[in-house]
Amino acid sequence: MWRDLLPIGRHPASRGYRRFAWTGVDLECRAWFKEQAEARGLDYEVDRNGNQWAWLGDPAAGDAVVTGSHLDSVPDGGAFDGPLGVVSSFAALDELRGRGADFTKPLAIVNFGDEEGARFGLACVGSRLTGGQLTVEGAHKLTDGEGVSLPGPWRPPADDPDTIGADPERLARIGAFVELHVEQGRALDLSGDRVGIASAIWPHGRWRFDFRGEANHAGTTRLVDRRDPTLSYAETVLAARREAELAGAVATFGKISVEPNGVNAIPSLVRGWLDSRAEDQASLDRVVGGIEKAARAYAAAHGIDLDVVRESFTPVVEFDHALRDELARILGQEREPELKVPVLGTGAGHDAGILSGSIPTAMLFVRNPTGVSHSPAEFAAEDDCVAGVIALADVLEGLACT
Ligand code: HGY
Ligand code: MN
Ligand code: MN
Ligand code: MN
């Protein structure tokens, strides 16, 4: 199963994955998901928001236990972020069938579309649409680098882009969603555990900083006559590091666009995208506020106009305590006030985080000895992945079987 998925969308030179929403590569991943579902005799469907579902039992019975994750990636992403959760879900079902488990609730495996937001700029589009955090209008406004708008490249089942949107009936039938994910950090490596349980997702967001200056000739324009936006952009990147360090948070300018982007032309516009995350809202506000204040001072000093736009934001997610405790109990850990089972906060966003506002959700993490993610260097050892499958099977059995 894993070997069939592995080569899809892997770049031969970087060995990173380029699985962007609604591209041919994404459609190959989706075809793989459908094959896995049908090979197991599961009822396959695509919902109004393009998410894929594989059902065992009748969803109308309600109180379904759902597991899964996403198959798309960031540019040159790793092999595990997303796919490990989907593959482990199918493998956990195989394990439960091998145990002769008797399902008393419907079970579903899901592939949430466009979790990374690498093409259209917003993360968790499939789960945000389903949970109502993204409106139809909002989805129509999302365009990629070529100006293609979101619903364009994908035809929802009803072939009417306006069928997309909140799906409360579907969510009302779900009793719990458990997402298994490779850890994006080294907490489990440091604690010596193979599997851990998520406690919370840090509040995080994306802001776009537009620095507007004046295009001019790189060779004939004196330095004193320039209004070069790259200077205030560069100073802002350094300020972001300082502000994040002060607050024990993280801040990343990972994406930039320069216009007109010519070697011998002083730019007229530099756009920088900030991704910032912190353990609590007050720290995040302090970091982003400090970065914006510094950016405005730098821009003013160079005669640059600055616009700052918050493109997306996800508040802190505290996973459902009762479900989290149930996972800890099922995984054979004594329930203690601090839940001795390795419980990890994370700065990474997930579909389970988006849906936690609508249904009880929980996450399992599998050890990643490199701690690296969103990179080809992301890794999880086979025996840790197997431990993740067994833990997920135990959890699904505890939640969905007699
Ligand atoms: O950006 C994130 O945290 C997630 O991987 N989409
Ligand atoms: Mn990711
Ligand atoms: Mn992910
Ligand atoms: Mn996710």
Side-chain angles (χ1 to χ4, degrees), residues 81 115-116 123 184 204 206 275 277 347-350 374:
D81 175 353
E115 193 269 355
E116 295 291 4
Q184 295 162 306
H204 58 284
R206 298 181 183 189
D275 174 315
R277 317 188 187 200
H350 298 283
H374 286 188

Side-chain angles (χ1 to χ4, degrees), residues 201-205 207 247 249 276-289 310 312-318:
I201 293 179
W202 288 10
H204 58 284
W207 289 261
S276 190
R277 317 188 187 200
E279 272 198 85
D280 57 69
Q281 189 59 48
S283 304
L284 183 62
D285 294 344
R286 211 167 37 250
V287 172
V288 177
R310 188 177 84 170
S312 69
F313 174 70
T314 308
V316 63
V317 166
E318 279 283 333

Side-chain angles (χ1 to χ4, degrees), residues 70 72-74 81-82 115-116 181 184 348-350 373-374 378:
H70 61 94
D72 68 307
S73 74
V74 296
D81 175 353
E115 193 269 355
E116 295 291 4
H181 205 283
Q184 295 162 306
H350 298 283
S373 183
H374 286 188
E378 183 183 82

